[in-house]
């Protein structure tokens, strides 16, 4: 998407062509920070759910049904965040800048790196 925008810049807009990559990275950094904050919000809501119901929600819809507000959306995918209940907790994640759902694997997981990973929030008890 960003590449398409950059290709649409006219050749005579030299300064725009030079600065465009800087602003594109700033947008990615902003969306990464928003994702981290959103996942923290989801983790807090899930913790409140667990305190009230004795267990983690099975999925985000079950969590959403108990809230008086809408859960945030993944700014990269423009879709709901992903969530998986595990034996001793849960994992919530966003797809990140590569737009590829890696199943909740972060940059520290084997085979994944800083260019190919999800933005992950893992809670275990």
């Amino acid at each position: 998407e960003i590449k398409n925008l950059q290709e649409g810049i006219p050749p005579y807009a030299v300064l725009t062509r030079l600065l465009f990559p800087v602003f594109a990275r700033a947008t990615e950094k902003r969306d990464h920070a928003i994702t981290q904050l959103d996942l923290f919000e989801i983790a807090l809501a899930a913790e409140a759910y667990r305190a009230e119901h004795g267990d983690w929600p099975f999925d985000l819809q079950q969590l959403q049904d108990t809230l008086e507000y809408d859960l945030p959306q993944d700014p990269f995918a423009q879709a709901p965040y992903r969530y998986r209940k595990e034996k001793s907790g849960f994992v919530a994640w966003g797809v990140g800048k590569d737009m590829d759902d890696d199943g909740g694997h972060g940059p520290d997981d084997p085979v994944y790196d800083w260019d190919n990973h999800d933005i992950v929030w893992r809670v275990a008890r």
Side-chain angles (χ1 to χ4, degrees):
E1 180 179 330
I2 290 176
K3 186 174 182 166
N4 292 340
L5 289 173
Q6 190 170 13
E7 290 173 358
I9 299 171
Y12 55 82
V14 178
L15 187 58
T16 302
R17 287 183 163 276
L18 288 172
L19 293 177
F20 186 84
V22 173
F23 290 113
R25 283 192 304 275
T27 300
E28 288 174 4
K29 293 284 188 184
R30 179 205 63 206
D31 289 347
H32 191 279
I34 288 169
T35 300
Q36 292 277 4
L37 289 170
D38 288 349
L39 292 173
F40 180 62
E41 179 182 341
I42 290 169
L44 288 174
E47 177 63 33
Y49 182 96
R50 187 190 66 77
E52 186 174 327
H53 296 93
D55 198 8
W56 303 105
F58 180 74
D59 57 21
L60 286 180
Q61 186 59 53
Q62 188 177 25
L63 177 61
Q64 178 65 68
D65 291 345
T66 65
L67 300 174
E68 296 178 6
Y69 60 91
D70 291 334
L71 288 171
Q73 299 264 324
D74 185 340
F76 289 101
Q78 300 300 314
Y81 284 102
R82 279 70 170 175
Y83 173 96
R84 179 177 61 246
K85 181 181 174 191
E86 296 186 331
K87 191 183 299 185
S88 64
F90 68 89
V91 179
W93 70 93
V95 296
K97 71 178 184 176
D98 69 351
M99 299 292 294
D100 182 30
D101 184 354
D102 297 310
H105 293 283
D108 297 332
D109 292 339
V111 185
Y112 296 91
D113 57 33
W114 284 102
D115 292 326
N116 179 31
H117 70 280
D118 293 332
I119 303 169
V120 179
W121 194 282
R122 186 177 308 275
V123 174
R125 293 256 178 220

